[in-house]
Amino acid sequence: MSKTKLNSTGAQRMMLVLDECSQKIGFLSLLTKEILSAPESFKSLFGSTNVANLIVDLRQFEESYQNMLQNPSATQEEKDSALLTVHWAVRNLARALRDNPNLIEQLKNFQTKSGVVRNPSLKAFLGMIEELKDMTYQQLITTIEEEDSKNSFLGEILAKEQKVSSELKSLQTQLSELRSQREKEASQRINIITKLKEEIQEIQAASTNQIKHVEKETKLRETVDMKGFKEIEGVKKEELDRFGKSLDEKVVQNKKKEYLLRKKKFAVERELENWVAKYDQDMEEKEAEIDGLATEYTKEQQQLAEMEKYLGELEQEYEKLLSEEKKEEASKQRETAMRQKIDDAARIIQKAWKAYLKRKGKLNASTSKKKKRSKEKGKNASPPKSSPSQKSLSKSLSSPSKPSPTQTLKKPSLSSSSTPSPQKGSPAKKPPALAKTVAAVKV
């Protein structure tokens, strides 16, 4: 029968506690009186588990608790502590049985084979726990509407009960009237019984006289039968003597037969000894053959060990080759990753340098316009030329070769008033974006 699932965790915990309680009591019911009284004799059944020791501890705790109950000088705290130790011992025993399902199966098989019946009180207790589980489960799954419907149903039942009680009262009055009638009839019957008893007494008196007459007749028959018995006894004694003589004759004949059979037995034993000697000789030959095979087997085992050692050395060499291949692959991957990082850094530097050159071109255009306006002064200014360091940097950025991370870059410095050409030997200042990219490349 499928049960509906409980929603609340509290209800599920209650049902789990009841299930565990019934399971532990079922385990404990497998321990019969014989096992509890002498667990040492059932060590072969328990095996390597400590169930026997737990049973002995439980018996000791129970005896100490019983002695404490009988002792009037023991305090209530001592009694409670002794009872608590008994509870812990029972709990440990139930856990040990739960952790050993094979032992539970063996105990069940032992009960079925030995025909031992479980304790009826434990059976009744298990039945009560199952009923309690069903009742709590029904109470937990019932909703408020179902509870109201049950209450209304109980109200109807109470009304019916009141009606039945009124009918019962009327029936009780009728019963009292019937009892009075029955008592009258009983008194009449008692009178009849007394009359019958008097008649029985008269019949008993007549029967005693008849018994005496019968006893006399039996005594006469007994005397006659004794005479006949004595005659038969004499005849049987004669037959007994005759059978005794025939028995002696048969004993002599049987002794002769026994002598012949003993001879035959000795001959058979000699033949058996010969067969045993032949068997021993054959077995010695077979043992020698087995020893030869054993020596060959040991030689083959040594050869096998040498081959396994050789194979182990080959496996070690193979593992070394595999590890070296893995290291080469890892180094190749690191080189490719490093190249990719360097290429990405070079692209970033190229983009920054191109932006720098664009800004520089715009500044040069503005300075040429200013020089055209100052022609009246008669000064001819030469346009700014790119330094050799800039040409080398642009070639290095435009070329697809890999830039070294430690390369130093030189570029002309910028001023707010004019844009003269950079002097030779003067270090060029880097813009902040380009300086960051160069620092990242160095890292």
Side-chain angles (χ1 to χ4, degrees):
M1 185 176 70
S2 62
K3 293 184 178 181
T4 58
K5 188 176 180 182
L6 298 173
N7 294 323
S8 64
T9 56
Q12 292 177 0
R13 287 176 181 172
M14 289 172 67
M15 292 304 297
L16 286 173
V17 168
L18 290 173
D19 290 333
E20 186 177 1
C21 182
S22 64
Q23 187 181 14
K24 287 181 178 179
I25 293 168
F27 293 157
L28 293 174
S29 65
L30 295 174
L31 300 174
T32 59
K33 292 181 180 179
E34 292 80 3
I35 296 172
L36 292 173
S37 60
E40 294 85 1
S41 59
F42 294 94
K43 283 188 177 180
S44 61
L45 181 64
F46 296 135
S48 61
T49 59
N50 61 344
V51 176
N53 297 327
L54 292 174
I55 292 170
V56 173
D57 295 338
L58 178 61
R59 287 179 61 197
Q60 291 176 358
F61 293 147
E62 286 179 349
E63 289 175 359
S64 63
Y65 178 66
Q66 292 294 332
N67 294 327
M68 196 170 289
L69 288 176
Q70 293 175 2
N71 188 8
S73 62
T75 60
Q76 187 64 32
E77 293 180 356
E78 293 176 350
K79 293 178 183 179
D80 293 338
S81 65
L83 182 61
L84 186 62
T85 54
V86 172
H87 289 172
W88 278 107
V90 172
R91 191 175 297 172
N92 292 329
L93 181 58
R95 287 175 180 172
L97 291 172
R98 182 190 63 189
D99 296 334
N100 294 302
N102 294 325
L103 179 59
I104 292 168
E105 293 295 329
Q106 290 178 3
L107 289 172
K108 288 180 181 178
N109 294 328
F110 174 73
Q111 283 189 353
T112 54
K113 289 179 180 178
S114 60
V116 179
V117 183
R118 290 190 186 182
N119 193 353
S121 60
L122 282 174
K123 280 187 178 181
F125 188 58
L126 281 171
M128 291 172 66
I129 288 176
E130 292 296 330
E131 290 179 0
L132 179 63
K133 282 169 61 179
D134 295 334
M135 290 172 64
T136 52
Y137 180 74
Q138 293 295 329
Q139 288 179 358
L140 290 171
I141 61 172
T142 52
T143 58
I144 298 171
E145 292 81 5
E146 292 176 351
E147 192 70 26
D148 294 335
S149 64
K150 283 184 179 180
N151 291 328
S152 62
F153 180 69
L154 290 172
E156 292 176 358
I157 290 171
L158 290 171
K160 289 180 181 179
E161 187 178 0
Q162 290 177 358
K163 184 177 179 182
V164 169
S165 62
S166 62
E167 292 178 355
L168 181 63
K169 288 179 181 179
S170 63
L171 291 172
Q172 284 178 351
T173 54
Q174 293 177 5
L175 181 62
S176 61
E177 293 176 355
L178 290 171
R179 281 179 179 174
S180 61
Q181 292 178 1
R182 291 287 177 85
E183 286 175 356
K184 291 178 182 179
E185 292 177 355
S187 62
Q188 293 176 359
R189 289 178 181 175
I190 289 167
N191 294 326
I192 294 167
I193 289 167
T194 52
K195 290 179 182 178
L196 292 172
K197 283 182 179 180
E198 291 174 355
E199 291 178 357
I200 289 167
Q201 289 176 357
E202 292 175 356
I203 292 167
Q204 286 178 352
S207 64
T208 52
N209 295 325
Q210 190 175 0
I211 289 166
K212 289 178 181 179
H213 180 67
V214 170
E215 285 178 354
K216 287 180 181 180
E217 289 181 353
T218 52
K219 284 180 181 180
L220 292 171
R221 286 183 183 178
E222 188 176 356
T223 54
V224 174
D225 291 335
M226 284 298 290
K227 289 179 181 179
F229 173 73
K230 286 179 180 179
E231 292 175 356
I232 294 167
E233 187 179 3
V235 174
K236 295 295 181 185
K237 282 182 179 180
E238 291 176 356
E239 290 179 355
L240 183 62
D241 294 333
R242 189 174 66 251
F243 287 133
K245 291 177 182 179
S246 64
L247 178 63
D248 294 334
E249 292 174 357
K250 287 182 179 180
V251 167
V252 173
Q253 293 175 1
N254 289 329
K255 282 183 179 179
K256 291 179 180 180
K257 289 181 180 179
E258 185 180 0
Y259 177 71
L260 295 173
L261 290 172
R262 281 181 184 276
K263 278 186 177 181
K264 190 176 180 180
K265 178 186 174 184
F266 291 147
V268 172
E269 285 179 353
R270 287 175 186 173
E271 189 177 357
L272 182 62
E273 287 176 357
N274 294 328
W275 278 106
V276 169
K278 187 178 179 182
Y279 173 75
D280 292 334
Q281 186 178 0
D282 293 338
M283 287 302 294
E284 287 177 357
E285 293 176 357
K286 295 293 182 183
E287 285 179 356
E289 186 178 353
I290 288 167
D291 292 334
L293 292 172
T295 54
E296 291 180 1
Y297 177 72
T298 53
K299 289 179 182 178
E300 290 178 357
Q301 286 288 327
Q302 291 176 359
Q303 292 176 1
L304 179 62
E306 291 175 358
M307 293 299 291
E308 286 179 351
K309 184 178 179 181
Y310 179 67
L311 287 172
E313 292 175 355
L314 289 176
E315 287 179 357
Q316 290 178 358
E317 291 178 359
Y318 180 69
E319 288 177 357
K320 286 179 181 179
L321 291 172
L322 286 176
S323 62
E324 289 176 358
E325 288 180 358
K326 287 180 181 178
K327 287 179 181 179
E328 289 178 359
E329 288 179 0
S331 62
K332 287 179 181 179
Q333 290 178 0
R334 285 196 295 272
E335 288 178 359
T336 53
M338 192 68 190
R339 287 176 184 174
Q340 186 66 32
K341 285 182 181 180
I342 293 168
D343 293 339
D344 294 338
R347 291 190 190 97
I348 292 167
I349 292 168
Q350 287 177 1
K351 288 180 182 179
W353 184 249
K354 287 178 182 180
Y356 170 73
L357 291 175
K358 286 181 182 180
R359 289 196 298 272
K360 183 182 175 184
K362 290 180 181 179
L363 291 172
N364 290 331
S366 61
T367 52
S368 62
K369 289 179 180 180
K370 288 180 180 179
K371 286 180 179 180
K372 286 179 181 180
R373 292 175 183 174
S374 60
K375 283 182 179 179
E376 294 177 357
K377 294 181 180 180
K379 293 181 180 180
N380 294 323
S382 62
K385 295 180 180 179
S386 60
S387 65
S389 62
Q390 289 178 358
K391 291 179 181 179
S392 63
L393 181 62
S394 63
K395 286 180 181 179
S396 64
L397 290 173
S398 61
S399 65
S401 62
K402 295 179 183 178
S404 62
T406 58
Q407 184 180 2
T408 56
L409 299 176
K410 294 181 181 180
K411 53 185 178 294
S413 60
L414 297 175
S415 61
S416 60
S417 61
S418 63
T419 58
S421 62
Q423 296 178 359
K424 292 181 180 180
S426 63
K429 293 182 180 179
K430 301 176 185 179
L434 187 60
K436 288 181 180 179
T437 53
V438 172
V441 172
K442 286 181 180 180
V443 173

